[in-house]
Amino acid sequence: MSAESVSRHSKELKDPEAVAVRDAPVENIYQPEVDTSGIDERKLMRRIDWHVVPWLAVLYLLNFLDRGSIGNAKLYGMTDDIGVTDKQYLIALTVFFFPYSLFEPPSNVALKTLRPSMWLSFIMLVWGLAMTFHGFITNYAGLLGLRFLLGLAEAGLYPGVVFYMSCWYRRNELGSRVGVFFSSATIAGAFSGLLAAAIAKMDGVGGKPGWAWIFILEGLFTVLCAVASFFILSDFPDTAKFLTETERVWVVRRLQADSKYSAGGESFKAKYVWQSLADWKTWLAMGMYMGFDGPLFAFSLFTPSIINQLGYEATVANLLSVPVYAWACIMTVVIGFWGDRVKCRAWLNLGLFGSGLVGYIILICSKNPSLSYFAVYLAASSIYPTIRVAWVSSNVEGSYKRSATLAMAIGWGNLNGAVTSNVYRAVDKPWYRLGHGIVLAYIAIGWLSSLAFYVYLRRQNAARERGDHDEIIEGVDNKGAHEKNGRFESVEAARMEKGDKWSGFRYTL
């Protein structure tokens, strides 16, 4: 297939309505009989934003709040009350990550197969109950069992939401929306400290210690929100009930014009998972998420303890973590919007990992509490902005392949939380240099993987511009096309079959 043919077809796809009125066959457009010319894009996108983003942010706030509550509970005497040693506590943190990581790929397939409103609400109900029961544990065995159940239930939320949002927004819109969504994690980090400090004052109420009430109240609120989610969450664009039929068609066409050809619906085939496994981008993305998620879990679980060991009491340490998370929230939103606007996610990503390298080098070398506290801000600037999520998602086409790639990358990143949840040992306090050194190594891996990802995408785009990946299309000028790239009856068939491997697909840098 010639470069001119690809250019012509790609240009046509950017204007779905123009395709509908061409003399060419209308099968290239989703439901061509529907007229969407009266749609007000700005007004409709605002309505979609209000229906999609805010509630997802609430869910992730609760997810992150529940996950990190154990760190706050430990400050208020949980380990002493149930007779858990420091080693056992670290093992309990580790147990969470195995089901949390391994269940993510099948959970994303279930999300695509079932309705998001049903699946996300169900797993939220289970983790809310698991969190509530944390308030009634009396021994180490109970703690292990509930941490395993919590990890199993929470596994599907983050990769599921990222995949779900990628099914609603174009590639140059996703970063800002994911940034707003993920900022709830930083709010949870700040709110967690304030909430724990307040709830801990219930110590003795109902014969329960303060740390138990942290789990019980947060868990019960999550259960209530899970029930509400079944009625609040919308499903995919082609079935969303808050949209009219014309609006649903317009959204699907808009996504297809942005190279998201599977937006109109795609049947599950095992080959989509194998395509993800065979793609270099998947493995490089796993390296990026390893450098992002490993430090993230260490940071969220141990920030109060790290600040506490700098000489501050438990409540003061929790309160001093609030401005750190507030700064991370600002950075997350700003970087998300900036990445979408300037379209240079590679360099932003490398810069963010770079700030993390500087922050943890300072933490390793410093013996000054004020300087170490400043370095925590640099670390937060690196760890929380989620530009990697939008970057990876924007460069994988095919809804099942994208869900598999995101689940594998995020799952592998989360599995490394099993390592980083064990690196801050009590014997290393107050400076925790071993833990900081391991997190530094993770960030370095993330930086190198990001650089390799960028180089790979750039070389692939150059090869496609040269025509190295042109397919043979029946009835089209195939000058320069290669049999090894496949033979298809139409451009539509080629792009649906090959996804981001189609010669007309261009990766975003």
Side-chain angles (χ1 to χ4, degrees), residues 16 29-31 36 48 167-168 236-239 243 245-258 260-265:
I29 182 171
Y30 182 72
Q31 296 191 16
T36 62
I48 289 173
C167 294
W168 277 95
F236 295 111
D238 56 328
T239 59
L243 298 177
E245 178 63 21
T246 301
E247 290 170 339
R248 287 194 287 267
V249 171
W250 181 86
V251 173
V252 171
R253 291 179 185 174
R254 185 174 184 267
L255 293 170
Q256 290 180 336
D258 187 48
K260 292 190 175 182
Y261 319 121
S262 56

Side-chain angles (χ1 to χ4, degrees), residues 470-490:
D470 286 354
E471 304 88 359
I472 294 177
I473 306 297
E474 296 178 6
V476 176
D477 177 13
N478 289 300
K479 182 181 179 181
H482 302 280
E483 186 76 39
K484 65 179 182 179
N485 296 324
R487 179 182 292 270
F488 301 91
E489 62 182 13
S490 66

Side-chain angles (χ1 to χ4, degrees), residues 70-347:
I70 191 169
N72 291 317
K74 179 176 182 286
L75 290 177
Y76 293 101
M78 179 194 74
T79 53
D80 292 334
D81 288 353
I82 64 174
V84 171
T85 65
D86 181 62
K87 182 178 180 180
Q88 289 175 325
Y89 174 75
L90 292 177
I91 292 174
L93 294 184
T94 304
V95 164
F96 169 90
F97 291 100
F98 293 109
Y100 187 78
S101 304
L102 299 176
F103 192 59
E104 287 182 341
S107 178
N108 256 19
V109 173
L111 174 70
K112 177 63 180 174
T113 305
L114 303 174
R115 292 185 294 139
S117 57
M118 179 183 297
W119 181 248
L120 293 179
S121 300
F122 170 71
I123 63 175
M124 188 178 182
L125 176 64
V126 175
W127 100 57
L129 292 173
M131 176 56 57
T132 303
F133 292 143
H134 271 67
F136 298 93
I137 54 176
T138 57
N139 53 47
Y140 178 52
L143 178 62
L144 283 180
L146 286 173
R147 294 308 291 178
F148 184 90
L149 179 61
L150 186 66
L152 187 68
E154 289 194 3
L157 185 72
Y158 180 58
V161 167
V162 172
F163 166 67
Y164 171 69
M165 293 181 74
S166 74
C167 294
W168 277 95
Y169 295 104
R170 295 189 302 194
R171 293 187 292 171
N172 65 345
E173 298 169 336
L174 186 60
S176 54
R177 271 72 177 189
V178 173
V180 172
F181 154 73
F182 195 77
S183 66
S184 61
T186 62
I187 295 173
F191 187 56
S192 175
L194 293 173
L195 187 62
I199 296 178
K201 295 184 182 298
M202 293 180 64
D203 186 46
V205 175
K208 292 287 183 183
W211 63 263
W213 284 111
I214 293 174
F215 290 123
I216 293 170
L217 294 183
E218 292 180 6
L220 289 176
F221 186 71
T222 299
V223 169
L224 293 176
C225 289
V227 176
S229 290
F230 182 80
F231 302 98
I232 294 175
L233 272 177
S234 301
D235 294 317
F236 295 111
D238 56 328
T239 59
K241 294 180 179 179
F242 74 92
L243 298 177
T244 65
E245 178 63 21
T246 301
E247 290 170 339
R248 287 194 287 267
V249 171
W250 181 86
V251 173
V252 171
R253 291 179 185 174
R254 185 174 184 267
L255 293 170
Q256 290 180 336
D258 187 48
S259 297
K260 292 190 175 182
Y261 319 121
S262 56
E266 182 180 55
S267 300
F268 174 74
K269 296 178 182 177
K271 71 175 184 179
Y272 297 137
V273 177
W274 291 112
Q275 286 174 356
S276 176
L277 287 169
D279 195 334
W280 277 102
K281 297 193 305 296
T282 301
W283 301 98
L284 292 174
M286 289 168 68
M288 274 197 289
Y289 275 84
M290 179 181 177
F292 156 57
D293 271 350
L296 175 65
F297 284 107
F299 192 90
S300 61
L301 288 171
F302 289 98
T303 296
S305 295
I306 292 170
I307 296 176
N308 175 237
Q309 294 304 324
L310 294 178
Y312 302 100
E313 296 299 324
T315 298
V316 176
N318 267 326
L319 295 178
L320 281 175
S321 69
V322 173
V324 175
Y325 286 108
W327 169 251
C329 179
I330 294 171
M331 287 293 294
T332 299
V333 175
V334 169
I335 293 297
F337 278 92
W338 192 15
D340 280 353
R341 181 174 295 273
V342 301
K343 299 179 178 64
C344 60
R345 290 177 177 144
W347 298 111

Side-chain angles (χ1 to χ4, degrees), residues 284 286-292 353 357 412 416 438-452:
L284 292 174
M286 289 168 68
M288 274 197 289
Y289 275 84
M290 179 181 177
F292 156 57
F353 274 126
L357 292 173
W412 173 248
N416 282 274
I438 293 173
V439 173
L440 178 66
Y442 269 90
I443 294 176
I445 291 172
W447 191 93
L448 292 172
S449 298
S450 299
L451 181 62

